[in-house]
Amino acid sequence: MDLLPIFLHEMEQEAATTRQFLSRVPADKFDWQPHPKSMTLMQLTTHIAELPSWVSLALTTDGLDFATVPYQPTVVSTTDELLAMLEKALADEKAALETASEDILTKPWTLRDGDTIYSTTPKHEVIRMTHNQTTHHRAQLGVYLRLLDIPIPGSYGPSADEGF
């Protein structure tokens, strides 16, 4: 069974839901956080928006070393900028999935910080983890939106705000 078409379909399906969630994020609340240990709304949403780019990173490199490429969170000023960030990451993911070959999916990919190795996994697992992280953080965003009294869109069916 070929995995690339499955990953591509999953990306397109989940992208629609992610767009709905991010489109409801009010820019005037970007600095809000539900708890001091929690990410701010901007940190969470820009992380969600950038996650699809990890698929292209996994397919085109052998890993990521934070010691040589330190993470720099993106700062946005508007919801439109946030959505544009998502669209760019999705376009990168789609292009990478459409041009990759199945045989690369079993090659190892390493996440590290210098000598500290966080994980070495096959590239197909990095793609799955990236999709799972998107779903996880989107659900987290749903809690943020609820706490801000912003109606939550449905994910896999209607939400309580959309009725049953």
Side-chain angles (χ1 to χ4, degrees):
M1 173 186 310
D2 289 343
L3 293 176
L4 290 168
I6 293 169
F7 288 146
L8 187 59
H9 174 74
E10 183 177 294
M11 179 217 75
E12 291 172 347
Q13 187 174 16
E14 293 300 319
T17 303
T18 302
R19 280 184 197 101
Q20 288 182 44
F21 270 76
L22 293 182
S23 71
R24 297 191 183 193
V25 174
D28 66 338
K29 299 291 186 193
F30 276 158
D31 292 332
W32 183 84
Q33 62 192 116
H35 186 276
K37 291 183 180 181
S38 299
M39 288 185 273
T40 65
L41 186 59
M42 183 189 304
Q43 290 168 326
L44 176 60
T45 57
T46 57
H47 182 54
I48 292 168
E50 75 189 358
L51 274 167
S53 66
W54 280 68
V55 172
S56 126
L57 185 66
L59 290 172
T60 60
T61 68
D62 292 327
L64 174 61
D65 185 349
F66 290 121
T68 58
V69 183
Y71 177 70
Q72 295 295 323
T74 302
V75 176
V76 295
S77 300
T78 67
T79 305
D80 286 341
E81 288 176 12
L82 179 64
L83 289 166
M85 183 179 168
L86 173 67
E87 293 307 325
K88 181 185 180 321
L90 288 168
D92 291 347
E93 178 179 359
K94 183 176 182 179
L97 288 170
E98 289 177 339
T99 59
S101 62
E102 290 287 329
D103 62 321
I104 199 170
L105 295 176
T106 58
K107 305 281 187 218
W109 192 84
T110 301
L111 181 63
R112 67 183 327 129
D113 189 355
D115 292 334
T116 303
I117 296 176
Y118 298 120
S119 66
T120 298
T121 55
K123 293 180 180 213
H124 69 87
E125 288 184 22
V126 176
I127 295 168
R128 174 64 58 221
M129 179 276 306
T130 299
H131 288 175
N132 289 343
Q133 280 289 304
T134 299
T135 305
H136 161 76
H137 287 302
R138 197 175 63 214
Q140 190 178 7
L141 175 57
V143 173
Y144 279 43
L145 294 175
R146 175 66 71 223
L147 292 172
L148 290 168
D149 202 27
I150 297 168
I152 300 169
S155 291
Y156 305 106
S159 73
D161 295 313
E162 295 174 331
F164 290 96

